[in-house]
Amino acid sequence: MSDSITVIGNLAEDPNLKSTASGIDVVSLRVASAQRWFDKASEKWVEGEPNWFTVAAYRSLALHAAGSLHKGDRVIVHGKLRVRHWKDGDRRGTNVEIDADALGPDLRWGTSAFTREARTEQVDVPDAPADESFPESVPEEKLEETPF
């Protein structure tokens, strides 16, 4: 089972782009996300403790993130949540990681110019033979009764 999560936060550092031994591009980012609320008693905004996430993105998303995002940028991340507990001698901790499916700037705080990347590989889809093409409509006598 994988849990999906969406996080809005700020990049703590520039994206770190690397390639695996098999040639897959991977970018790693640190995102800080903190709750903010207005305290009516003091009439001030209060900043909560930040939650820290390590974000990994792969392949074209990694390349696009590395070329588009910078330290301090407000970002939106959506992906699979992974919580890992670790122990090193007497020290213990928890890493909260996100394998990103989508990643980009938060447009509430600024503007962005989007450039679509041209696809480099073609997918061949054979044409359906004339006798197997999808009919425009199905005759009523061929419709099945709804089972419920």
Side-chain angles (χ1 to χ4, degrees), residues 1 5 10 14 27 32 44 46 56 59-60 75 77 80 87 91 101 113 118-119 121 132:
M1 179 180 151
I5 186 171
N10 290 36
D14 283 331
V27 74
K44 293 182 180 178
V46 178
R59 299 179 177 78
S60 62
V75 295
V77 180
K80 294 172 207 61
K87 181 179 176 183
R91 296 178 50 210
D101 294 321
R119 292 194 174 222
E121 54 186 63
E132 293 181 24

Side-chain angles (χ1 to χ4, degrees), residues 107-122:
L107 297 179
R108 183 171 46 161
W109 300 99
T111 62
S112 178
F114 178 78
T115 305
R116 182 179 299 275
E117 182 179 84
R119 292 194 174 222
T120 56
E121 54 186 63
Q122 293 284 341

